[in-house]
Amino acid sequence: MASNTQQLFAALHALYHHEDAGVKGQAGKWLEQWQQSVEAWSISDAVLHDPNSGMEAQYFCSQTLRTKVQRDFEELPEAAVPQLRDSLLALLLKYAKSTPATRRQLCLALIALTVHVPAQKWDGGEPINCLSQPLDARTRAGVLEAFGGWLRLSEGAALGPDGSRLPSHPLVVSALQGLQARGNDPTFHASVEAVCELVWCTVDPQTNQIDGNMMPLIQVLVPSVMQLRPRFAAASAQAAEEEGAETGVRLNNNLAAASRLPHYAEDDEDTAKGIARLFAEVGEAYINLIATAVQEVQAPVEAMLDVAGYPEHSIASICFIFWHKLSKHLSQGWSSSEELPGAPNGPVGALDSQGDVSAGERRRRREFFAPAFQRLVTLIRHRVKYPPHAGTWDKETASEFKRQRYEVADTLEDSAAVIGFEQCMSLLVGPLAELSSAVAQGQPFDWAAAEAVLFCVRWACICYTIARYAGWLGTNITAASPRDPSTRISESDRATASASAALLPQLMQLAVEALEVPEASGAVRGNQQ
């Protein structure tokens, strides 16, 4: 065996260091053939345990072991399997702080071994019990990262067709347990990746059709992910509290209560982003099931609303694709003989009808989800408002905020497709009534709040045929706009507030009247670009 080991070292040296390309090619062919030999098992194991072996040999032999376990496991005598198991665990301990490339290959070898070795043949009953104590968090995370990569590369085929056994699969159990790790533990983020891959292994990624064989796994995955909602709510409240401390805004009662929920102090924005991604992956993967509007889908929908309410836009926007997909499912059923909800003069265009869903069922589904979309509008409408420090932005920051506003506008359009134009507009102009009340109580006029409402109204002008709704707009927006400020307003703000309160209704009325004229309507829309 010693001579064979020396041949291996010589071939590796030639492959990596010889100047002659022909010699390199011969060394590569020899190594490929050697990896397919039975002796590669024992020599690779010995090299990895040898403290004097070099990094090149360590990586190549770890890769060889991984390949042998995946492809040539039948070569190994049954009596040698426990030795291989123990050896891999010992090597993971040894290389826990070594080069990531070697450690990753060992993790992949261990994962491949779990496919061949039943849980009862692992110490403690399953692989995760073997890994939980002696290995550090980084190595445990490496095992789960390798598991996620394995699922992604195999597109779920590595799990096999028997979904009934998957909930108790040791690596599935390990990934779900890892979701309870603290936010600063790399195991948590590796578990997020693995669980996301598991979710998509249960459906056809092209059609979102659920694989019936995977229902036992789905019934474990979804509750495990939904258990993170209180933790996400606490993280969201903490973020709102920190943002409020910077801006002087107080938490509302719901957020204040959420901030007192049990959570890990180490949970940060990255942790919240990981949880939000889990919620979104569940929602998007099972969108066909969610769209059936049964009571059991409330939890994923409410989780998506939790994400929409997160203070940071980069996290809140993770849910926008889900709402778009759900809106499409609910609005594609409108036929030319039905009216879009909230449209005062008939349907806005004819859409393909869903032949397998009756008109009454489509209406029931929209009514079921209407409260969720209404709440979504109230959660995201403020995201188009310019903050007080917007004047200090550079060009890149201003451009990013503009992109954010149009992301919100797209989601508002999705909401209107479900709840109807009139209901959506009532929610969008709601802040004008609050602004009017604030001005009446002597507070300065908030132009940023008024501009945010105007932006949403202008968005509606693009999305819908405005002449149909001009009368409704004129009545409701003018009624909600701030009137003359009360005498309690401070002297320094009196002139500005008075002019603002008087000017806004006139501007809005002029815009609405102009929209009733085709030529002027085009000019208004052109001015929005």
Side-chain angles (χ1 to χ4, degrees):
M1 178 171 154
S3 61
N4 291 338
T5 304
Q6 292 304 317
Q7 281 184 293
L8 172 64
F9 289 159
L12 287 171
H13 185 272
L15 179 66
Y16 289 115
H17 302 291
H18 206 284
E19 296 181 357
D20 190 331
V23 174
K24 284 178 177 286
Q26 291 178 358
K29 291 180 180 179
W30 187 90
L31 289 169
E32 287 181 7
Q33 293 177 353
W34 179 85
Q35 281 187 317
Q36 299 174 24
S37 67
V38 176
E39 67 177 4
W41 287 100
S42 57
I43 293 178
S44 296
D45 184 70
V47 169
L48 288 166
H49 282 285
D50 184 357
N52 298 319
S53 60
M55 292 178 58
E56 293 170 352
Q58 291 171 358
Y59 173 74
F60 181 79
C61 288
S62 65
Q63 183 186 58
T64 299
L65 270 185
R66 185 263 299 173
T67 303
K68 300 295 283 184
V69 175
Q70 287 179 335
R71 303 177 184 175
D72 303 325
F73 187 76
E74 67 280 356
E75 294 178 349
L76 202 63
E78 186 175 352
V81 173
Q83 297 175 10
L84 175 63
R85 176 202 64 197
D86 296 341
S87 179
L88 284 175
L89 291 171
L91 289 171
L92 276 174
L93 281 171
K94 177 182 177 181
Y95 290 95
K97 297 182 180 180
S98 183
T99 56
T102 299
R103 190 169 62 247
R104 178 175 289 274
Q105 293 300 316
L106 292 171
C107 289
L108 287 169
L110 183 66
I111 289 170
L113 188 62
T114 65
V115 177
H116 301 290
V117 181
Q120 60 269 24
K121 289 190 177 182
W122 292 80
D123 294 339
E126 54 187 44
I128 190 58
N129 291 336
C130 297
L131 295 173
S132 59
Q133 296 302 325
L135 299 182
D136 62 11
R138 181 171 54 180
T139 305
R140 290 198 300 273
V143 173
L144 291 171
E145 287 175 2
F147 180 44
W150 183 51
L151 291 172
R152 183 165 52 254
L153 291 174
S154 68
E155 296 182 344
L159 290 175
D162 187 2
S164 63
R165 300 174 56 186
L166 294 178
S168 59
H169 189 288
L171 289 171
V172 174
V173 174
S174 174
L176 295 177
Q177 289 177 346
L179 296 180
Q180 303 304 319
R182 296 179 181 272
N184 61 350
D185 187 336
T187 304
F188 171 79
H189 299 286
S191 296
V192 169
E193 294 291 334
V195 173
C196 287
E197 294 299 331
L198 282 169
V199 167
W200 284 103
C201 288
T202 63
V203 298
D204 183 330
Q206 301 300 322
T207 65
N208 294 107
Q209 293 299 319
I210 292 176
D211 183 346
N213 294 326
M214 292 295 176
M215 281 305 298
L217 180 58
I218 295 173
Q219 291 169 351
V220 171
L221 289 175
V222 175
S224 297
V225 172
M226 292 300 106
Q227 285 178 358
L228 296 173
R229 284 190 62 202
R231 185 173 174 183
F232 183 80
S236 181
Q238 181 64 29
E241 187 174 15
E242 293 173 357
E243 183 179 274
E246 295 178 0
T247 61
V249 177
R250 297 181 60 185
L251 288 177
N252 61 39
N253 293 335
N254 291 336
L255 287 178
S259 67
R260 295 189 291 271
L261 289 171
H263 66 287
Y264 295 134
E266 297 86 356
D267 285 354
D268 55 10
E269 189 171 298
D270 286 339
T271 307
K273 184 175 293 185
I275 298 175
R277 183 188 167 198
L278 281 169
F279 292 164
E281 298 286 3
V282 167
E284 292 173 32
Y286 305 136
I287 189 67
N288 291 347
L289 178 60
I290 291 174
T292 60
V294 294
Q295 196 61 36
E296 289 77 8
V297 306
Q298 283 283 19
V301 172
E302 291 174 359
M304 286 289 89
L305 290 172
D306 294 342
V307 175
Y310 195 88
E312 173 58 41
H313 178 76
S314 63
I315 293 179
S317 60
I318 291 175
C319 72
F320 287 176
I321 294 178
F322 165 80
W323 293 111
H324 174 71
K325 290 184 175 181
L326 182 58
S327 174
K328 288 295 183 184
H329 268 272
L330 299 174
S331 60
Q332 281 178 349
W334 289 107
S335 66
S336 57
S337 62
E338 294 179 271
E339 292 185 358
L340 191 68
N345 293 311
V348 182
L351 298 173
D352 293 337
S353 61
Q354 300 169 329
D356 58 340
V357 180
S358 67
E361 173 62 12
R362 291 196 298 270
R363 189 174 298 277
R364 183 197 69 81
R365 293 182 180 185
R366 287 189 293 271
E367 292 174 353
F368 179 90
F369 287 109
F373 277 95
Q374 291 168 9
R375 185 178 166 201
L376 176 65
V377 172
T378 62
L379 285 171
I380 67 174
R381 64 188 180 189
H382 73 281
R383 296 187 183 279
V384 304
K385 179 182 176 182
Y386 280 95
H389 58 279
T392 64
W393 285 346
D394 57 23
K395 185 176 181 179
E396 182 178 352
T397 304
S399 177
E400 175 63 21
F401 184 74
K402 182 178 180 180
R403 183 190 63 81
Q404 171 181 323
R405 278 160 61 102
Y406 282 102
E407 284 182 353
V408 173
D410 288 341
T411 306
L412 292 174
E413 179 181 357
D414 293 330
S415 301
V418 176
I419 64 177
F421 174 82
E422 182 172 342
Q423 179 64 50
C424 187
M425 289 302 297
S426 296
L427 295 170
L428 291 176
V429 302
L432 280 182
E434 299 173 6
L435 180 59
S436 177
S437 176
V439 170
Q441 295 175 13
Q443 298 180 22
F445 185 79
D446 188 349
W447 268 107
E451 190 277 338
V453 174
L454 181 59
F455 173 85
C456 294
V457 172
R458 287 163 52 190
W459 150 81
C461 297
I462 297 174
C463 297
Y464 291 90
T465 306
I466 295 302
R468 183 180 301 173
Y469 304 106
W472 184 91
L473 282 170
T475 301
N476 288 273
I477 292 180
T478 304
S481 299
R483 301 297 182 180
D484 292 335
S486 71
T487 56
R488 288 175 291 177
I489 194 169
S490 61
E491 190 67 24
S492 61
D493 293 325
R494 182 184 299 276
T496 301
S498 179
S500 301
L503 181 60
L504 182 61
Q506 298 177 31
L507 290 175
M508 297 298 292
Q509 187 63 37
L510 286 172
V512 170
E513 291 174 355
L515 288 169
E516 294 179 311
V517 182
E519 294 81 1
S521 179
V524 172
R525 285 193 295 271
N527 190 47
Q528 296 168 8
Q529 305 302 320

